[in-house]
Amino acid sequence: MNEDLLQVPDVSVVVIVYNDVARLPAAVGSVLAQTLRNVEVVIVDDRSTDGSYEVARELAARNPGRVRAFQLDENSGGCGAPRNHGIGRARGTYVLFLDSDDVLERNACRNMLEAAGTTGADLVCGLCVRVHVDSRSRKEVKWYPWLYTRTRTLESISELPDLLVFDTLSTNKCYRREFLVEQQLTFPVGIHYEDLLFSAQAYAAARRITLIPNRVYDWNVTDRATTKSISNRRAEIANFTHRMEIHRRVDQLLADKGLPELKFHKDVKFLKHDLVLHLRDLPFRDASYREEFAAVARGYLESVDRAAFDEVEPIHAICAYLLQESDWDNLLPAVDTLTNRDKISSPLVERDGRVYWCAEHLDDDFARHVLDVTDLGHHTRPVDRMFLRNVLTRYEEAAGTVRLAGRITNPLGVIAPGARLTGELEFGARRRGVRFQTFRFPVAGLRHEGEFVAWEASVGLARGLRPVGVVDAVWDVRLHLDVDGVRTTTRLTASEPGLAVGASPVRPRLTRLVADRIAPEVSSRGHLSFRVVTREKVDALVGRGVRGAPGRLAKSGYRKARETRARLTSGDTKIRLYHEVFSRLPVKKGLVVFESHLGRQYSDSPKAVYEEMRRQGLDFEAVWSYTGSPEGFPPDATLVRRWSLPYLKALARAEFWVDNQSYPLKLTKRPQTTYLQTWHGSALKRMGFDEPEWKLRPRPEQAEQQRTLDRFDRFLIRSEHDVRTLARAFHLKERTLLRVGYPRNDALVRARVRERETGRRERGPLAAELGIPDDREVLLYAPTFRRQGSGQRRFELPFDVERFADEFGDRYVLLVRSHYLNHVVLPPSVRGRVVDVSAHHDVTPLLALADGLITDYSSVMFDYALLGRPMFFFAYDYEEYVHEGRGTYFDLLERAPGPVVRTEGELRTALASLDEQTAKYAEAREGFVAEFGEYDKGTAAQSIVDQFFSRWRRG
């Protein structure tokens, strides 16, 4: 019998693949080339879009009986689901897992099978080697090699805790298939770092584990990959959240299995490895990321055994403690030391003969223990043996001159107040062997500031720095500080994201065609450096050439080309391209196009859904449309101008449309595309076919309008009022309605819950950003859209804003947010007391900030009511609006949960006491919320993600 056709393979190798058509054959080939012949390959494709499954089927056709190919019904977004499917399809006595971008060592199956047969192990582990495939020498790094120095068999994982703690891979292991089935071992789905939990479960359940010193698995690493692996996407807070969740599950597993001693070993590794990976990135993240990171970490750190703090390096323990306390002033410098060993980044403090990292927290015994750094001996070192932190505080570039300023840490006052100080900045090429010359610039300003030494310098890079431009691309900068003639050298730490930006001209040694600018960048260790920007001068050369006869001919051709382009980019042509070209392309799985208010804003429920998807770390491709400027739109999405060809192509190929108003009406939605219409507010004004003008339009126009409304696959509902009004006005079917509330309102619901629980209101950073004093209450004026006639968008305020500022300026700050289709102009006289916030994309943070709302008929009333704060309705044109406009669904005069005023005087009287209005209309507001916001529970975004996008969760 041909051994290739044996019915029961010795080993089944489950190869999972997603969009890896180029590397899949090599992975499968490494299995087919095994010296153990009785091996089958089970390929599981995670619904690839690049032809990977077709390649898998071809491999199966060429290797009948040895290769089988399967495809999941939908993309899972991670490794867990395809591996689980592979376990179910495997026929072998033993099972291995292989990723499509990696390969097995040719003797791996034979060596592992022999070890399993000899020892009767449920689980055999071998050596994994990380191969850096894009390095010059294909550098190889063994994965925790001390575990695999010899062959040994464990009767319990307790005999070698380091195995569970460090070797968390699932892919360098051979599992007895019956063992997997009996123990019901599967990978978690919908969460990253699935290997950590699966390997822990296997270790804990195995009755016998054998380790062999043989190389079995090559983990191919592409350091310069454009798409980072899930574990390397540490800029995403969801990445860290998932890691913490997996750690919690492993901890629970160990508790359930009665293995508390393993939990301690795991805590030690967490403090000195897992946490460190993310801490090192904190200086590159903004404040909101840091706060969310700390909130996630704090919950888990509370479960870490305090004894584990003694088993790690002092800086590891210090960082973990300060993170738990959210002490950013001391933590960020500590992270600098964590990244740059031996750097002294804190001024330190001496108490009772001991040296501590900082002066804070020392009233707590555990904190004193953790923060005690006496044994590091910093207090015994002279200044020339200290690597001091030098944090950049200012960076300005103008006309080729860079102005820098910073602060050098002065630990324990080692630099005396009366010391003579001089300094210079040194620029040197990073690449060894090409340091033809270093360039030095004096530091003019040096002054002693107690715990720090402050400095300032102006660097004339335009004249003083002479790079070659090709071989010396990166230049490092150091500050040499002389203290009474003794020198210490520092690096410039750029700890504030976005501080060092711009580009400065330089004079290259060869020619400006090679390089003529140098731009700042921050190294992986957080230090300021500069990169020479190469620049081709082709444009200039071409410009000189077109002045002659050839140029005139070229200009004529250019005009014709421009006219042709105008025809090709006309509205009618774009619509034809959309339907006849782009819509014939395959729908791209995982592509989501977001739009808010016709592309004018990054805001509203589409923003909330998008950010929830990012928060959960979903594997998807995001496209945001914009009109005008892309400023303010998310940098981690593809931005396309509304009505551009990329925009139309994205819409045609998208798997999902997420929008709060309407995509272009003449674009037909493809059946494979799901349109989630979040809408932009509950209705007071009559809408859709309830509007008088629509009832009078010809039937063909009404039918065309209905076709655009029928594109909605799901329509968000926040109350049954929406069902009776919007749903009916748009002729929506019941199955289209999604009763989950508005994602944009999740933040408002959560804000009120926090306020009730804590008894206080948190303003957050927006108040400081707007310059609002702590002793001022905040009013928000947010009127509805007003038609001004003649196409004018300017909105004239219906009250005397200067009189308002004079009367209430010592008590209130008034924020004015006009409708996005209007704009308002405020007089300079009210600066600081009245603030135009119309440019803010998203109104939700403004609502959360406001202590009271002034509006008229805007749907913002339904959202703000969720906060339970006072509202004032300035209905100065009520009769005109209601009776001469489109009409309303209910009488605001009767139902308003706050005073309805008709004149400016009445408004000023009503605003005299927020507390009085808060109490007087409390019951009315609660009833208003119950009727118009019954489905707003603070979980709308999560619910939508769970219902429509959960399959994209990684892991």
Side-chain angles (χ1 to χ4, degrees), residues 156-162 164-165 204 251 253-269 305 308 311:
S156 169
I157 188 61
S158 297
E159 297 177 30
L160 187 61
D162 278 354
L164 176 140
V165 170
D251 292 347
L253 168 72
L254 298 178
D256 294 341
K257 294 290 186 179
L259 299 169
E261 71 280 5
L262 296 183
K263 166 70 163 57
F264 173 78
H265 289 281
K266 185 177 150 301
D267 285 346
V268 173
K269 193 247 187 176
D305 192 330
E311 302 298 321

Side-chain angles (χ1 to χ4, degrees), residues 878 890-898 900 921 924 928:
Y878 185 76
F890 61 86
D891 190 344
L892 182 65
L893 300 179
E894 297 179 358
R895 307 282 287 281
V900 180
Y921 289 91
F928 195 78

Side-chain angles (χ1 to χ4, degrees), residues 131-146:
V131 181
H132 295 260
V133 295
D134 58 351
S135 65
R136 292 184 179 181
S137 59
R138 285 180 63 90
K139 181 179 71 173
E140 295 185 356
V141 179
K142 296 179 179 178
W143 186 255
Y144 300 114
W146 78 84

Side-chain angles (χ1 to χ4, degrees), residues 790-808:
S790 303
Q792 296 182 7
R793 296 179 58 208
R794 180 173 174 177
F795 172 60
E796 297 290 344
L797 290 175
F799 56 88
D800 187 338
V801 67
E802 291 180 293
R803 181 175 179 181
F804 177 94
D806 291 340
E807 185 170 344
F808 295 107

Side-chain angles (χ1 to χ4, degrees), residues 329-387:
D329 290 339
N330 288 306
L331 172 59
L332 291 177
V335 171
D336 197 359
T337 295
L338 184 70
T339 304
N340 299 278
R341 187 181 295 271
D342 297 328
K343 180 183 286 190
I344 305 175
S345 58
S346 168
L348 309 179
V349 63
E350 184 179 344
R351 295 283 189 274
D352 303 323
R354 304 292 294 179
V355 177
Y356 298 94
W357 184 261
C358 58
E360 291 76 17
H361 317 292
L362 297 183
D363 55 344
D364 177 81
D365 290 340
F366 180 67
R368 289 176 67 90
H369 178 69
V370 170
L371 298 173
D372 190 331
V373 293
T374 307
D375 293 341
L376 295 180
H378 293 317
H379 57 289
T380 66
R381 298 181 187 176
V383 67
D384 59 332
R385 292 181 54 202
M386 288 184 168
F387 180 20

